[in-house]
Amino acid sequence: MRCLRHGHGGTNLKHPELNAAAALALDARDALAAHAAEFHHPYDANGRKMVYLCGHSLGLQAKSTAQYVEEELADWRRLGVLGHHEAKRPWIGYHERLAAPLADLVGASATEVVAMNSLTVNLHLMMVSFFRPSAARNRVLMEKSAFPSDRYAIVSQLEFHGLRAAEHLIEVQPRPGERHLRTEDLAASIEREGARLALVLLPGVQYLTGQRLDLAPLIALARSVGANVGLDLAHAVGNVPLTLHDWNADFAVWCSYKYLNAGPGAVGGCFVHERHARSTQLPRFAGWWGQDKATRFEMGPDFSPIAGAEGWQISNPPILSTAPLLASLDIFKRAEISRLREKSILLTGFLQRLVEGLLPESVEIITPAGIDDRGCQLSLRIARPPHEAKRCHERLTAAGVLGDWREPDIVRLAPAPLYNSYSDVFAAADSLSRAIRP
């Protein structure tokens, strides 16, 4: 890569360990390095391999994806409708193949997870069951800087029930002058609103700052005051280890196009705790794919849900956008999330040291410094006026480093341990230092 061959590619006088040779040495000791070759990496118009640190937005395509999708296309060509039963991976039970590997990633049993729909659709479906406001309990608590789609969904659900966001939505934010949510502030809000809370919705990893929340005590507290609890794991699944069953949240939702590498608009996922597995009292928006499998094709008029998360399905899964997830989960199974997390801590820590060493006056890391308080993402505030900061990001992209931009002055970079290297991280930091130069 060009930026490894000159400039800061040599020894940094203040930080002699921050150089290209150090990155290469770390790569040589990386037991997971071979997985990078299992993914397609983008190249620019000049044929230069780009440094891809944007897995928090869209993961790279696994090379095996094409084979998985082509096998489904071939079975469709060859079998037509018979593919539901006679395909290599019969379509009738296709989603069932994803249950065990998803359960391993999120720390649940296979009956507690299902691949279906997209994140926000699943959030709406879960709120039908788990946001049931009464005269006494009619408030939702969430973080103020949540990804906008979550807020849109919640506000629309409040309005559907004849409630007003100004009165019934409790939004917790960092203290003045701080960037991160404090566990004690979230806990205080839950306790204060306790008797009026119908639902608490929390992120696994905050999308903008990359903060990883300490979920277990917050979930326990919310449930102790009588609230239901849901989680948005869009930036957590495939990024950090999760223990959903033990955390005891009522539900969780996620997408699979970020760290799970399933492709744009790919099928999402949902967790429903096993204590709700056989509940027939919970309201839900029903559809035929959630119907008891033994009677589904009798086409009867009465809905009898499958026990477990599958019972919240509405339609049969989109096979062609589910196949890429199956391909990616096979790689996760071989790599193991615990080993990926170990590498992630080292990889992101290397990026942190590079930024602090090469750009001490120009960039503020707004992601928490503690390894337990973040995943792989670092969010960097460019210490320039907004229009100049954005130009820095544009120069970074032109140099062949793909992160993403959040107004007014934040660049997000996420070294994904499945396919990123220490050399990628060094190249990104080196290019950023050049992009920021006056």
Side-chain angles (χ1 to χ4, degrees):
M1 283 172 281
R2 176 181 58 81
C3 49
L4 283 176
R5 293 200 293 265
H6 60 256
H8 289 300
T11 300
N12 181 276
L13 295 180
K14 292 184 179 179
H15 300 274
E17 78 284 4
L18 302 180
N19 55 57
L24 289 170
L26 289 168
D27 285 333
R29 297 196 295 270
D30 178 11
L32 297 173
H35 289 295
E38 296 189 64
F39 291 85
H40 292 288
H41 295 253
Y43 287 76
D44 67 14
N46 297 316
R48 175 183 58 174
K49 181 181 177 182
M50 304 190 79
V51 176
Y52 194 85
L53 300 182
C54 211
H56 58 286
S57 184
L58 180 67
L60 292 182
Q61 182 188 131
K63 291 179 179 178
S64 57
T65 295
Q67 177 183 341
Y68 274 75
V69 174
E70 175 52 36
E71 285 172 351
E72 306 311 331
L73 291 171
D75 280 342
W76 180 18
R77 286 193 299 269
R78 181 173 61 91
L79 297 169
V81 71
L82 298 179
H84 284 96
H85 297 282
E86 298 179 19
K88 178 179 180 180
R89 292 177 285 269
W91 304 329
I92 285 287
Y94 201 88
H95 66 282
E96 297 169 7
R97 295 175 175 271
L98 292 98
L102 282 176
D104 287 342
L105 278 181
V106 303
S109 69
T111 59
E112 291 178 306
V113 298
V114 63
M116 65 180 192
N117 308 313
S118 59
L119 186 154
T120 307
V121 171
N122 288 336
L123 178 56
H124 276 295
L125 292 175
M126 291 298 100
M127 289 187 73
V128 169
S129 296
F130 297 105
F131 176 53
R132 294 169 290 158
S134 65
R137 289 190 179 274
N138 51 29
R139 297 192 173 193
V140 178
L141 184 144
M142 67 184 300
E143 48 147 341
K144 187 172 181 60
S145 297
F147 192 75
S149 191
D150 283 3
R151 192 179 194 278
Y152 302 156
I154 286 176
V155 170
S156 67
Q157 288 274 345
L158 286 168
E159 292 172 346
F160 177 78
H161 289 285
L163 304 172
R164 297 171 55 248
E167 180 180 354
H168 298 96
L169 179 58
I170 311 301
E171 296 178 281
V172 183
Q173 60 185 325
R175 296 180 185 184
E178 296 185 357
R179 291 281 188 179
H180 310 132
L181 294 161
R182 293 196 182 197
T183 301
E184 60 265 34
D185 291 347
L186 285 162
S189 295
I190 291 169
E191 289 179 325
R192 184 176 58 252
E193 299 291 337
R196 296 180 290 187
L197 280 180
L199 176 67
V200 172
L201 181 70
L202 298 170
V205 173
Q206 210 281 334
Y207 89 98
L208 182 62
T209 66
Q211 179 186 5
R212 181 188 184 190
L213 268 65
D214 186 9
L215 291 173
L218 294 171
I219 294 168
L221 178 60
R223 296 201 66 240
S224 75
V225 301
N228 288 333
V229 184
L231 305 173
D232 177 345
L233 302 178
H235 290 264
V237 67
N239 179 8
V240 295
L242 303 166
T243 53
L244 289 187
H245 177 82
D246 292 343
W247 284 343
N248 215 21
D250 294 280
F251 72 87
V253 293
W254 59 86
C255 55
S256 60
Y257 48 79
K258 301 180 189 295
Y259 297 109
L260 295 188
N261 313 307
V267 67
C270 189
F271 161 90
V272 180
H273 198 278
E274 70 176 9
R275 67 177 175 277
H276 303 299
R278 298 185 181 278
S279 176
T280 56
Q281 286 73 46
L282 284 173
R284 70 180 83 195
F285 284 168
W288 82 306
W289 218 249
Q291 169 72 10
D292 176 48
K293 295 175 187 178
T295 61
R296 179 187 288 158
F297 288 98
E298 292 178 7
M299 305 296 183
D302 297 321
F303 180 71
S304 176
I306 303 168
E310 284 185 278
W312 272 265
Q313 295 176 107
I314 290 179
S315 300
N316 49 318
I319 301 301
L320 298 182
S321 70
T322 304
L325 178 56
L326 201 57
S328 180
L329 289 176
D330 175 66
I331 301 174
F332 270 97
K333 182 178 180 179
R334 289 185 279 109
E336 300 178 9
I337 189 64
S338 59
R339 297 172 68 219
L340 288 168
R341 175 60 177 161
E342 290 172 2
K343 176 181 174 179
S344 178
I345 289 170
L346 297 174
L347 199 59
T348 299
F350 187 53
L351 177 59
Q352 178 183 352
R353 294 196 302 277
L354 286 164
V355 170
E356 291 173 345
L358 301 177
L359 300 157
E361 307 298 328
S362 304
V363 171
E364 174 194 1
I365 300 175
I366 68 169
T367 303
I371 60 174
D372 292 331
D373 300 321
R374 68 187 186 201
C376 68
Q377 171 186 327
L378 284 189
S379 296
L380 311 177
R381 189 186 73 82
I382 308 301
R384 297 281 191 277
H387 66 284
E388 293 183 17
K390 191 163 190 176
R391 279 202 293 269
C392 290
H393 175 253
E394 291 167 351
R395 288 196 288 269
L396 181 66
T397 303
V401 178
L402 289 179
D404 73 356
W405 173 257
R406 286 292 177 264
E407 297 290 350
D409 54 9
I410 294 173
V411 173
R412 300 187 303 167
L413 301 177
L418 258 184
Y419 51 73
N420 282 129
S421 66
Y422 294 92
S423 294
D424 288 339
V425 165
F426 181 83
D430 183 35
S431 294
L432 182 58
S433 70
R434 299 171 185 282
I436 286 177
R437 288 179 189 171

